[in-house]
């Protein structure tokens, strides 16, 4: 015999999520927010502190901060590894170019001064440090090293020219 559905179940309309997201066979709910007027790192750190203080998840639940923040953290770690290695490689190249450590060191001595100027520019313009700014710093370091190489080469050339004129 036929049984009406209303006798088997209580059917009603409720408001809920349109989709159930899954990742690695686990359901998840995404909470999104945008950061404007400040850098993402400090904004997410502040949000993490507030969320950790206010929300205590039951067993079996977890909280993960992903998206652009996760990408920024990964890129920052990579930059922290790449920059010192790059500077060491540049020192070796400069050592081969100039045949002495003193001139190579003089060229690399420009890098901290360029960094101070870059940080001052960020502070004066009100921009926050980001991955884009980090790449800009790498370009700045390249320019200051190039200028140092040109300056040392020109000084050596002028010294040799002057010594050749005196010997004639």
């Amino acid at each position: 015999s036929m049984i009406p559905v209303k006798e088997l179940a209580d059917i009603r309309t409720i408001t809920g999520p349109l989709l159930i997201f899954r990742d690695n066979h686990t359901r998840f709910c995404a909470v999104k927010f945008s950061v404007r007027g400040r850098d993402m790192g400090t904004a997410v750190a502040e949000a993490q502190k507030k969320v950790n203080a206010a929300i205590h998840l039951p067993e079996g639940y977890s909280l993960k901060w992903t998206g652009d923040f996760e990408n920024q953290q990964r890129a920052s770690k990579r930059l922290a590894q790449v920059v010192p290695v790059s500077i060491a490689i540049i020192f070796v190249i400069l050592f081969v170019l100039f045949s002495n450590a003193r001139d190579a060191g003089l060229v690399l001595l420009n890098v901290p001064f360029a960094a101070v100027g870059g940080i001052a520019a960020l502070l004066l313009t009100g921009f926050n440090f980001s991955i884009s700014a980090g790449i800009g710093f790498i370009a700045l370091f390249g320019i200051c090293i190039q200028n140092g190489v040109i300056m040392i080469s020109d000084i050596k050339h002028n010294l040799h020219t002057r010594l050749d004129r005196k010997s004639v």
Side-chain angles (χ1 to χ4, degrees):
S1 71
M2 304 272 273
I3 301 173
V5 175
K6 67 181 178 180
E7 289 184 22
L8 296 175
D10 181 23
I11 299 173
R12 57 192 156 104
T13 303
I14 61 170
T15 303
L18 296 174
L19 296 170
I20 297 174
F21 297 104
R22 292 186 177 275
D23 187 32
N24 291 331
H25 305 292
T26 305
R27 285 186 290 180
F28 73 91
C29 176
V31 178
K32 302 174 183 181
F33 71 96
S34 297
V35 178
R36 289 189 178 90
R38 58 190 291 195
D39 69 300
M40 187 181 349
T42 57
V44 172
E46 182 182 337
Q48 285 175 330
K49 185 178 177 183
K50 288 181 179 180
V51 166
N52 290 337
I55 296 176
H56 304 286
L57 296 173
E59 182 133 354
Y61 288 82
S62 64
L63 185 63
K64 185 176 178 185
W65 298 82
T66 62
D68 288 341
F69 173 71
E70 184 181 34
N71 293 337
Q72 181 190 26
Q73 295 299 312
R74 191 172 37 248
S76 295
K77 286 178 186 176
R78 179 67 69 192
L79 276 176
Q81 295 169 346
V82 168
V83 169
V85 170
S86 298
I87 290 175
I89 291 171
I90 289 169
F91 179 80
V92 170
I93 292 170
L94 291 172
F95 180 77
V96 169
L97 176 69
F98 292 124
S99 301
N100 67 46
R102 186 187 70 161
D103 291 340
L106 281 173
V107 171
L108 283 183
L109 193 60
N110 291 324
V111 172
F113 292 109
V116 169
I119 292 168
L122 285 176
L123 291 174
L124 288 173
T125 58
F127 284 107
N128 299 310
F129 187 80
S130 63
I131 297 304
S132 300
I135 293 170
F137 271 90
I138 291 172
L140 174 67
F141 296 160
I143 291 169
C144 81
I145 288 171
Q146 179 184 12
N147 289 343
V149 168
I150 292 169
M151 190 182 323
I152 295 290
S153 298
D154 200 37
I155 288 170
K156 281 186 163 190
H157 175 74
N158 288 341
L159 284 174
H160 288 298
T161 304
R162 191 169 193 204
L163 291 174
D164 289 343
R165 285 184 186 164
K166 281 187 176 182
S167 63
V168 172

